[in-house]
Amino acid sequence: DNGDAVYGLYYPPLPRDSEAPGKPPLIVHIHGGPTSQADAGFEAELQYFVTRGYAVVAVNHRGSTGYGRRYAQALRGNWGLFDVEDAVGAAQHLVDESLADLDRLVISGGSAGGYTVLRALTVKPGFFRAGVCRYGISNLFSLAADTHKFEARYTDSLLGPLPEASQVYRDRSPLFAADSIRDPVIIFQGTEDEVVDKSQSDAIVESLKRR
């Protein structure tokens, strides 16, 4: 919204000589971290989809590393805002450029990327036709309390310290906005994840089942 450049890697569907008519479906891939980076190295998962007719964009939303200090620090206080805005913006740009079908947009991510998937489905219902969430974060309070030692207090910079920022944590936790989710979502979760506890996925699944 403020005119900042946002980066990403676009993969057109292949093979080109047998592509289906019309604009391709698009997978918006969100990296973890959330301050990590999707790079131009070989990604078997992405190649799996592009060789089956999907376009893919790996979004390096504001806060990703690799684009300078200001860009890397942009997510401070803005997690759950800028990552979602940039995922939606990337998809809309490709739709506007006739590189993706507006009616066949999917958002996919794991860990912090899975959080962005759930958050996008709550704040932009109907924009994506489906979400793929792998070991995603649904409750930011639980993340702050239960995550492993290496990332302890990581959320202080991304959201603010507790208890002062309690309202921010609640407002941006997908679990407390699950009523807004109306698009199909598939959730994957390991039982021994030490970064994102299984309870994160269990909670959002149970909430969605009740609806």
Side-chain angles (χ1 to χ4, degrees):
D1 292 341
N2 59 8
D4 285 348
V6 175
Y7 301 90
L9 303 171
Y10 171 69
Y11 301 83
L14 297 171
R16 305 296 294 178
D17 58 356
S18 62
E19 63 187 51
K23 302 170 187 176
L26 174 71
I27 296 175
V28 178
H29 176 78
I30 310 298
H31 63 67
T35 54
S36 183
Q37 179 190 24
D39 59 35
F42 177 76
E43 291 284 350
E45 176 188 346
L46 304 189
Q47 292 303 316
Y48 175 89
F49 288 106
V50 300
T51 57
R52 286 157 176 80
Y54 290 86
V56 176
V57 61
V59 179
N60 282 321
H61 53 72
R62 283 168 288 178
S64 303
T65 59
Y67 303 97
R69 181 180 177 85
R70 177 175 175 270
Y71 196 83
Q73 292 184 343
L75 205 61
R76 292 186 175 182
N78 293 305
W79 192 28
L81 300 178
F82 284 1
D83 47 322
V84 173
E85 288 177 12
D86 296 349
V88 171
Q92 188 62 60
H93 173 71
L94 292 172
V95 168
D96 294 344
E97 294 295 315
S98 297
L99 296 172
D101 186 342
L102 177 63
D103 295 323
R104 294 190 292 170
L105 304 177
V106 176
I107 185 168
S108 174
S111 192
Y115 164 72
T116 301
V117 169
L118 295 175
R119 174 80 174 146
L121 296 181
T122 65
V123 300
K124 292 289 289 186
F127 182 79
F128 294 103
R129 291 301 180 264
V132 179
C133 176
R134 300 186 304 277
Y135 41 94
I137 298 151
S138 65
N139 186 335
L140 295 168
F141 291 105
S142 297
L143 177 70
D146 299 334
T147 195
H148 61 147
K149 183 178 180 180
F150 180 71
E151 291 185 327
R153 309 199 72 83
Y154 193 16
T155 52
D156 285 10
S157 64
L158 295 170
L159 299 163
L162 288 171
E164 295 85 353
S166 293
Q167 192 60 49
V168 172
Y169 281 65
R170 182 171 183 83
D171 290 345
R172 297 190 201 168
S173 290
L175 181 63
F176 304 119
D179 278 341
S180 300
I181 297 178
R182 68 169 192 245
D183 307 297
V185 56
I186 187 167
I187 295 174
F188 298 91
Q189 175 70 51
T191 58
E192 299 178 9
D193 194 323
E194 295 182 357
V195 180
V196 179
D197 190 78
K198 181 175 176 288
S199 62
Q200 292 275 358
S201 291
D202 290 343
I204 192 72
V205 167
E206 287 305 312
S207 181
L208 292 171
K209 278 183 176 180
R210 289 197 300 271
R211 293 163 174 79

